[in-house]
Amino acid sequence: MQVQKDMVVAFHYTLTLNSGQVVDSSADGEPLSFIVGHGQIIPGLEEQLIGMKVGDKKTVNVAAKDGYGERDEEMVQVVDRAEIPDKIDLYEGLVLRANSEDGDNIEFTVKTFNEKEVVFDLNHPLAGETLNFDTEIVSIRSATKEEIAHGHVH
Ligand code: ZN
């Protein structure tokens, strides 16, 4: 059996940036499970897992445009410090969450701030980064009809 559409695949991964920084890893926990072809993981990663078998290992390099996108400097925005509630303890790198008007979850990272202004970066923290995944396939099975209908693993 190999990784293909409508299979439930469990795999271990370690995500490393070109700088060598390890961003995320399943190594100390459960492998990540997903249904192939249902938009559950980054497309650039999913494509490269197709055809792998249990026990196969592969390093997958995903360009920024196929990962979290290129950085957009227009998404760096300056806000009046007065608009930020006092209860928020600002620091560089702080991630704030809010809902947009159409209900999407958006995240802002505080880049810099002073007494007057706060500079927010609305880019995804991994935008502009090449994503290097060390992967190992742990299990593969067919998804049930119910899982395919729901679009997630049971
Ligand atoms: Zn369900």
Side-chain angles (χ1 to χ4, degrees):
M1 201 174 264
Q2 54 185 31
V3 177
Q4 54 181 299
K5 190 168 180 348
D6 294 337
M7 294 288 178
V8 173
V9 174
F11 71 108
H12 273 299
Y13 69 95
T14 296
L15 169 56
T16 309
L17 303 182
N18 285 353
S19 64
Q21 183 193 350
V22 175
V23 175
D24 196 8
S25 177
S26 66
D28 296 329
E30 291 289 307
L32 180 67
S33 293
F34 73 104
I35 308 176
V36 180
H38 292 262
Q40 291 187 288
I41 65 168
I42 295 169
L45 171 59
E46 184 171 68
E47 268 169 29
Q48 294 295 315
L49 299 180
I50 302 292
M52 288 174 72
K53 300 185 180 79
V54 172
D56 282 356
K57 294 180 182 183
K58 190 178 195 178
T59 299
V60 177
N61 306 106
V62 178
K65 67 175 172 55
D66 300 319
Y68 292 101
E70 300 289 357
R71 282 187 56 78
D72 179 355
E73 293 312 319
E74 286 180 14
M75 287 172 72
V76 176
Q77 295 181 5
V78 181
V79 175
D80 249 342
R81 175 90 185 239
E83 290 181 34
I84 310 300
D86 285 338
K87 64 177 182 188
I88 294 177
D89 193 10
L90 290 174
Y91 57 90
E92 284 176 25
L94 173 66
V95 178
L96 297 173
R97 290 177 183 80
N99 289 316
S100 67
E101 283 168 11
D102 44 18
D104 286 337
N105 237 320
I106 39 178
E107 294 192 346
F108 314 72
T109 306
V110 176
K111 270 193 97 171
T112 57
F113 62 95
N114 59 30
E115 284 165 19
K116 285 186 171 173
E117 295 173 338
V118 181
V119 179
F120 284 111
D121 189 348
L122 277 71
N123 286 290
H124 188 282
L126 296 178
E129 298 281 0
T130 300
L131 310 174
N132 307 296
F133 292 94
D134 285 313
T135 67
E136 179 176 1
I137 304 296
V138 175
S139 67
I140 304 170
R141 65 170 170 83
S142 297
T144 64
K145 281 186 184 141
E146 202 182 17
E147 284 173 324
I148 290 169
H150 290 196
H152 57 235
V153 178
H154 284 170

